[in-house]
């Protein structure tokens, strides 16, 4: 049985078909890269898996159990955590306070504030926000807020982590550190990860497999080398003149 | 540390003052103290829900009125304590009924909906009373005002402890997350609907009991008066002026409004309402954290 299985997933927003008949599966411990131009439907796919949006058709199964159509907090309770591409910090709370919500209510929920605090201090250390823990989240830079998204998701103790363009806005060396962090997290926490990233090189290096979306449809999925040399992907990416 | 000691000492002093008040002051000032305690109890309850979640309820008068109505109906047919508890539970049950549909909408829609539903309840009670051919209910042999004063003191203390405890609990953290970003909160596991409804129910209980005590004090139940939206407006004003992110704010807010109304109400009633409006708007625009929030911010800045 696959760890995550997506079957014939379709999502419409009014007249727009954001995703059409998407099927794929992933194994435990895998890093799956999501590729596709702006508007391809990548974020929507994460929203469907995390329960923020209900699919118009199709199923999502986590270890054989249907999770589509459940509310986000239940999906999180089963071990799915996401970050938001357009960050959504609890702006009026401190950085630590933000992360503590994940520890208090997520899959690994603890009833003790003190316990949650200890866990979260470790996570903040891990993502490099420890020195800013008492600042209001609103005071962070964009790069800081992206890390906060990751920290808050990690605090829920997920099994499947969905990362939506968390490297955006980082310079080259910061991006490298972040990639190392993601690899390390996968190993130490035995995470499965779906990651959306625009920096192609980074995505190729990090992912075990890559799924390519174009206009809401799945073009292909496969190993990075396969994907990079696939004519359909090249056509979709090189744009207009390939379309004739 | 020093600040903490100071806080504890002033809380004990204030409590002693309130406990001793009936022996010290005359009936008039005891009435003012009763106003203050009821303001604290109501505003604390409101803050426990609206302050923490950001869902501004403009309908808390309905819980107060419902409690008063239960007292008016049951007075002399059951023990005082039993009716007080029944008043609280009736208000809480009403909150469950109202909260379920109302908490599906946010922002201005929620504000208008709570106001609308509370007005609806008022007219339902008026219709029932008209059908029963009752034009107001007089309550006989009500308890001594000093006794009622002590019940109100107990309610104010309970409401303060409730908000204080909630604000620093896991539940309170979840409610604040809802206030900041409900979608993000549910995505990290916060059961938003459940927490909101439970907090709404909790915040209705004490106002129900407060309404029951007030109708014993005034000895007359009249729906237009006891379900008046003015009660809701006053609660919101006290919370906004005092600060609505925890237990200290409502105490400042209630004290401010009760003192202001003592100074102005008798002398210049029109001016009082105008001033109240101006104050409310100025606080919302310029001091949204309220008196207490502003004081702590100033203290922090001085320390930094
Ligand atoms: N909530 C929404 N309402 C309406 N349309 C939406 C909504 N979310 C996404 N879309 C549309 O769905 C398509 C896919 O968007 P998205 O998943 O954000 O793409 P990507 O993340 O790949 O850039 C776009 O055309 C977008 O405009
Ligand atoms: Mg996107």
């Amino acid at each position: 049985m696959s760890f995550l299985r997506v079957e014939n997933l379709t999502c419409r927003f009014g007249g727009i078909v954001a995703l059409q008949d998407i099927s794929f599966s992933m194994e435990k411990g895998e890093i799956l890269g999501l590729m596709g131009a702006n508007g391809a439907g990548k974020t929507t796919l994460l929203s469907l898996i995390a329960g923020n949006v209900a699919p118009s058709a199709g199923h999502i199964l986590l270890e054989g159990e249907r999770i589509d159509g459940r509310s986000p907090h239940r999906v999180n309770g089963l071990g799915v955590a996401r970050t938001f591409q357009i960050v959504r910090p609890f702006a009026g709370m401190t950085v630590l306070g933000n992360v503590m919500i994940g520890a208090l209510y997520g899959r690994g929920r603890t009833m003790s504030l003190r316990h949650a605090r200890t866990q979260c201090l470790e996570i903040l250390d891990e993502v490099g926000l420890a020195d800013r823990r008492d600042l209001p989240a609103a005071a962070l830079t964009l790069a800081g807020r992206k890390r906060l998204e990751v920290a808050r998701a990690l605090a829920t103790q997920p099994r499947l982590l969905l990362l939506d363009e968390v490297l955006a806005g980082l310079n080259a060396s910061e991006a490298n550190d972040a990639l190392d962090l993601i690899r390390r997290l996968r190993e130490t926490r035995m995470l499965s990860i779906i990651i959306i990233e625009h920096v192609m090189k980074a995505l190729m290096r990090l992912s075990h497999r890559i799924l390519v979306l174009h206009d809401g449809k799945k073009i292909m999925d496969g190993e990075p080398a396969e994907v990079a040399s696939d004519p359909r992907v090249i056509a979709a990416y090189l744009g207009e003149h390939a379309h004739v | 540390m020093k600040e903490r000691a100071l806080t504890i000492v002033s809380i004990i002093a204030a409590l002693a003052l309130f406990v001793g008040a009936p022996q010290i002051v005359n009936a008039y000032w005891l009435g003012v103290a009763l106003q203050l305690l009821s303001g604290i109890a109501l505003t604390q309850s409101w803050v426990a829900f609206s302050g923490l979640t950001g869902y501004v309820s403009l309908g808390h008068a309905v819980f107060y009125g419902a409690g008063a109505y239960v007292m008016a109906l049951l007075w002399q047919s059951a023990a005082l304590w039993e009716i007080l508890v029944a008043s609280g539970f009736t208000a809480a049950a009403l909150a469950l009924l109202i909260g379920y549909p109302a908490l599906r909408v946010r922002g201005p829609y929620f504000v208008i909906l709570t106001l609308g539903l509370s007005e609806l309840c008022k007219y339902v009670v008026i219709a029932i009373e008209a059908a029963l051919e009752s034009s107001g209910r007089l309550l006989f042999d009500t308890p001594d005002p000093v006794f009622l004063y002590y019940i109100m003191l107990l309610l104010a203390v309970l409401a303060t402890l409730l908000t204080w405890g909630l604000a620093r609990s896991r539940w309170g953290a979840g409610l604040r997350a809802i206030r900041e970003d409900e979608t993000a909160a549910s995505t990290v596991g916060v059961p938003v609907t459940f927490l909101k409804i439970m907090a709404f129910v909790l915040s209705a209980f004490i106002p129900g009991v407060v309404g029951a005590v007030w109708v014993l004090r005034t000895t007359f139940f009249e729906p237009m008066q006891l379900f008046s939206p003015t009660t809701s407006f006053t609660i919101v004003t006290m919370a906004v002026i005092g600060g609505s992110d925890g237990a200290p704010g409502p105490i400042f807010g209630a004290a401010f409004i009760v003192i202001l109304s003592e100074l102005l109400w008798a002398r210049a009633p029109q001016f009082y309402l105008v001033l109240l409006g101006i104050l409310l708007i100025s606080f919302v625009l310029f001091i949204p954290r309220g008196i207490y929030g502003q004081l702590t911010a100033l203290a922090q800045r001085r320390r930094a």
Side-chain angles (χ1 to χ4, degrees), chain A residues 13 16-18 36-45 85 164-165 196:
Chain A
F13 294 111
I16 305 170
V17 183
N38 266 330
K42 305 180 296 294
T43 297
T44 305
L45 183 55
Q85 178 185 359
D164 198 346
E165 302 198 19
I196 299 175

Side-chain angles (χ1 to χ4, degrees), chain B residues 15-275:
Chain B
L15 267 179
L17 201 65
F18 276 110
V19 171
Q23 275 73 52
I24 308 166
V25 301
N26 61 24
Y28 175 81
W29 285 104
L30 199 64
V32 175
L34 189 73
Q35 292 275 1
L36 176 58
L37 292 175
S38 121
I40 290 173
L42 292 171
T43 309
Q44 293 290 15
S45 304
W46 186 88
V47 161
F49 169 74
S50 290
L52 295 185
T53 62
Y55 278 79
V56 174
S57 159
L58 215 48
H60 264 52
V62 75
F63 306 130
Y64 175 89
Y69 192 39
V70 169
M71 180 56 81
L73 291 175
L74 297 183
W75 177 239
Q76 284 183 326
S77 61
L80 173 66
W81 296 108
E82 289 167 1
I83 311 179
L84 289 178
V85 171
S87 299
F89 276 110
T90 305
L94 192 61
L96 193 62
L97 212 68
I98 292 178
Y100 198 72
L103 284 165
R104 285 160 183 269
V105 297
R106 282 200 71 95
Y109 303 101
F110 180 79
V111 180
I112 300 297
L113 201 57
T114 49
L115 179 62
L117 286 171
S118 92
E119 285 291 278
L120 176 70
C121 291
K122 175 172 88 180
Y123 286 105
V124 167
V125 171
I126 289 172
I128 293 172
E129 289 294 280
L132 296 172
E133 294 184 345
S134 138
S135 52
R137 289 167 186 272
L138 211 48
L139 282 71
F140 298 101
D141 290 327
T142 53
D144 178 59
V146 172
F147 180 64
L148 293 177
Y149 168 89
Y150 281 117
I151 297 181
M152 198 67 93
L153 176 58
L154 182 68
L155 290 173
V157 171
L158 282 179
T160 302
L161 288 175
L162 176 96
T163 303
W164 180 78
L166 188 63
R168 37 195 295 138
S169 71
R170 171 176 179 269
W171 187 2
L175 296 173
R176 286 203 181 94
I178 290 172
R179 180 179 72 196
E180 297 292 328
D181 187 329
E182 197 159 338
T183 301
S186 75
T187 303
V188 293
V190 180
V192 294
T193 309
F194 180 73
L195 291 196
K196 278 188 303 190
I197 292 184
M198 285 303 116
F200 194 54
V201 168
L202 188 71
S203 96
F205 190 92
I206 287 180
V209 186
V210 171
V213 173
W214 266 116
V215 78
L216 284 177
R217 174 64 204 255
T218 59
T219 69
F220 188 66
F221 175 81
E222 203 281 308
M224 278 311 249
Q225 197 190 340
L226 280 150
F227 282 85
S228 164
T230 310
T231 308
S232 302
F233 297 139
T234 308
I235 295 172
V236 176
T237 310
M238 286 176 174
V240 167
I241 289 181
S244 56
D245 192 48
I251 297 173
F252 284 87
F256 186 94
I257 294 298
V258 169
I259 291 169
L260 188 75
S261 86
E262 273 320 300
L263 293 177
L264 287 178
W265 185 244
R267 276 164 249 175
Q270 281 83 6
F271 183 62
Y272 169 72
L273 285 178
V274 171
L275 189 65

Side-chain angles (χ1 to χ4, degrees), chain A residues 171-229:
Chain A
N171 65 36
S173 89
E174 286 172 331
N176 264 328
D177 291 348
L179 289 176
D180 286 341
L181 173 68
I182 293 168
R183 277 193 207 101
R184 205 164 59 233
L185 288 173
R186 172 186 159 262
E187 273 156 36
T188 56
R189 295 168 181 255
M190 291 175 297
L191 281 174
S192 311
I193 297 174
I194 301 183
I195 177 167
I196 299 175
E197 204 39 78
H198 269 305
V199 187
M200 216 48 67
K201 251 203 269 176
L203 196 67
M204 294 281 173
R205 278 208 335 250
L206 186 67
S207 311
H208 300 117
R209 267 186 330 128
I210 288 178
L211 184 139
V212 188
L213 291 176
H214 186 64
D215 278 346
K217 295 187 205 76
K218 171 173 152 182
I219 294 188
M220 71 168 302
D221 64 324
E223 294 189 357
E226 249 179 284
V227 168
S229 58

Side-chain angles (χ1 to χ4, degrees), chain A residues 52 73 76 88 92 104-105 113, chain B residues 168 170 177 180-181 186-187:
Chain A
N52 296 112
H73 78 269
N76 182 273
R88 313 185 70 131
L104 289 169
Y105 285 98
L113 289 165
Chain B
R168 37 195 295 138
R170 171 176 179 269
E180 297 292 328
D181 187 329
S186 75
T187 303

